[in-house]
Amino acid sequence: MPRPLNLSARAQALQPSLTLAIAARAKALKADGRDICSLSAGEPDFDTPAFIRQAAAEALEKGLTRYGPASGEPALREAIAQKLTHENGVPTSTEQVLVTNGGKQALYNLFQVLLQEGDELLLPAPYWLSYPEIAQLAGASVRLIPSSASEGFRLDPARLEAAITPASKLLVLNSPGNPTGMVLSRAELEAIAEVLRRHPQVAVVCDEIYEFLLAPGHQHHSFAAVAPDLADRIFCVNGFAKGWAMTGWRIGWLAGNTAVVKAAIALQSQTTSNVCTFAQYGALAAVSGSRDCVREMAGQFNHRRELLSSGLAAIDGVTLLPPEGAFYAFPDISAFGLDSMQFCERLLEEQGLAVVPGGAFGDDRCIRLSCAAADATIQDGLSRLKRFLQSL
Ligand code: GLU
């Protein structure tokens, strides 16, 4: 009788990504012939701009198919450092940048080299569902800093300060935010910096993956530009997926404190080595090129966000805080008496509409809908949601 293979406690505790699982389920149901409308994954439906694809194809043709430095191609690291310095106002040198397999690996590497058993991650809720899992993989515990829709999903500096303990090691700031779409203003960032000046043991990771996706009237500020005196403990995580429509390329970066980034490079050298070499040349063309393509796609997302938001706000019983950026809406559906998981399961089963339960993001009163889809798909999704609500 073979002995059963026991999973590690770490693996047993790990939840698979629900955003990816729901998007995959919607695709599989569609492939089976079911009539499905998916507003689940946050994935631009645009093609990667041609000049980026061409740069990667040329690099492939030129034979850039071998191992590169684990830290990333030097030209790409340099271009990202320049972007941070000039576009974000965060002076950054090349050795402070690590090219990663998407924003997720940047977070994973950072959490692995900064966090350990006994440490706490400070996580404003609602939050993107991968942060707690990645922290727990590093052995850390998660201390949530809740905010509700009635409080505008804002991070209250007094509540942040009250949540900090001697074990607090790292705070997550995700602006524009997934799933709420909230954007931290300069004044809010200044107030957060005031709190952190009193707690020198707390570092900050700013997930800026939605930096270009801003509703009219909102601006993105990099935290280290607002609080340069804290720059040594502020990390920036970003990537090409959302702004440049490059989700499948899996290219992101981690930037910040040189010693910590050096440790993250060592970790990457022992795990995944370098990001696909020729793909990095596509990313180099993207980051060094004009932002016209980014602005064009962001403009379309603004239109779609508005379409989705106004459609949701017009439904009786649904309350929505208008998203200020990213490409999600996170309405409160608690008036209908179902928890978010039951709501989403029945919505998929009965109306073929795939959306993500808010419980996975730390707020069971809400559901998340993505507007990274064509107008007709968004309108179809709204009709299905209305039919479902009428049937309840
Ligand atoms: N970040 C996107 C989302 O929340 C893509 C899927 C994922 O990585 O979670 O839908």
Side-chain angles (χ1 to χ4, degrees):
M1 191 61 176
R3 286 198 24 204
L5 293 175
N6 293 327
L7 291 176
S8 65
R10 205 165 49 246
Q12 287 181 42
L14 183 66
Q15 295 294 323
S17 164
L18 194 66
T19 44
L20 295 184
I22 292 179
R25 178 144 177 243
K27 264 188 202 155
L29 288 171
K30 231 183 221 172
D32 271 0
R34 285 267 318 263
D35 170 26
I36 298 291
C37 173
S38 179
L39 299 179
S40 55
E43 171 163 38
D45 57 331
F46 302 114
D47 291 330
T48 303
F51 74 97
I52 301 173
R53 301 197 311 260
Q54 205 174 335
E58 277 165 19
L60 180 59
E61 275 313 305
K62 267 204 277 189
L64 293 168
T65 55
R66 302 190 196 280
Y67 288 136
S71 51
E73 289 297 295
L76 179 57
R77 291 175 80 199
E78 169 64 23
I80 292 169
Q82 290 295 317
K83 180 223 179 295
L84 283 163
T85 304
H86 300 295
E87 193 168 351
N88 299 87
V90 182
T92 305
S93 62
T94 305
E95 69 272 12
Q96 287 181 283
V97 176
L98 164 63
V99 179
T100 57
N101 192 51
K104 259 182 193 161
Q105 196 195 14
L107 290 164
Y108 181 84
N109 287 349
L110 178 68
F111 286 20
Q112 283 291 323
V113 301
L114 269 192
L115 301 175
Q116 60 192 353
E117 279 73 13
D119 290 341
E120 273 172 11
L121 179 81
L122 296 167
L123 185 58
Y127 48 81
W128 176 50
L129 48 77
S130 291
Y131 301 126
E133 299 297 325
I134 298 174
Q136 279 153 21
L137 283 173
S141 57
V142 176
R143 184 173 289 271
L144 296 180
I145 310 171
S147 69
S148 61
S150 57
E151 297 157 338
F153 289 132
R154 314 305 307 187
L155 172 56
D156 173 19
R159 210 175 275 177
L160 164 64
E161 183 135 40
I164 295 175
T165 74
S168 304
K169 191 83 182 281
L170 186 64
L171 165 70
V172 177
L173 295 181
N174 171 216
S175 173
N178 177 5
T180 64
M182 291 305 121
V183 174
L184 289 166
S185 68
R186 175 176 275 277
E188 285 176 301
L189 290 169
E190 277 164 358
I192 294 167
E194 257 327 290
V195 172
L196 293 173
R197 288 189 183 102
R198 293 191 282 274
H199 300 278
Q201 87 279 15
V202 182
V204 187
V205 56
C206 300
D207 182 343
E208 305 191 327
I209 191 84
Y210 298 101
E211 72 170 317
F212 297 113
L213 305 181
L214 295 158
H218 295 278
Q219 225 187 318
H220 173 69
H221 300 281
S222 288
F223 190 40
V226 174
D229 57 313
L230 304 180
D232 213 37
R233 52 181 162 123
I234 298 175
F235 295 89
C236 167
V237 165
N238 205 332
F240 292 87
K242 316 293 189 191
W244 283 272
M246 291 171 67
T247 48
W249 292 61
R250 310 310 304 135
I251 310 184
W253 66 83
L254 166 69
N257 180 297
T258 313
V260 176
V261 169
K262 195 170 163 205
I265 295 168
L267 173 66
Q268 190 158 298
S269 77
Q270 293 287 22
T271 51
T272 56
S273 307
N274 62 281
V275 172
C276 170
T277 303
F278 54 86
Q280 289 188 60
Y281 285 86
L284 175 61
V287 73
S288 325
S290 138
R291 295 288 178 270
D292 285 353
C293 60
V294 173
R295 276 193 285 270
E296 155 71 15
M297 291 187 275
Q300 301 232 30
F301 286 129
N302 278 350
H303 160 76
R304 294 161 171 197
R305 191 188 306 106
E306 182 49 38
L307 188 68
L308 179 63
S309 303
S310 54
L312 287 169
I315 301 177
D316 249 5
V318 172
T319 26
L320 176 73
L321 213 55
E324 301 168 345
F327 40 46
Y328 308 105
F330 198 56
D332 185 327
I333 45 81
S334 57
F336 298 95
L338 298 173
D339 69 35
S340 66
M341 190 59 105
Q342 293 167 333
F343 189 100
C344 292
E345 269 168 10
R346 284 189 52 187
L347 184 56
L348 182 58
E349 200 40 53
E350 295 168 28
Q351 293 296 335
L353 174 60
V355 300
V356 188
F361 304 99
D363 192 335
D364 207 26
R365 302 168 67 85
C366 298
I367 56 170
R368 191 192 78 173
L369 300 94
S370 162
C371 67
D375 287 15
T377 310
I378 294 172
Q379 261 146 356
D380 181 23
L382 286 165
S383 310
R384 291 177 194 238
L385 177 63
K386 276 186 231 163
R387 278 202 297 277
F388 174 65
L389 295 176
Q390 277 155 11
S391 75
L392 288 177

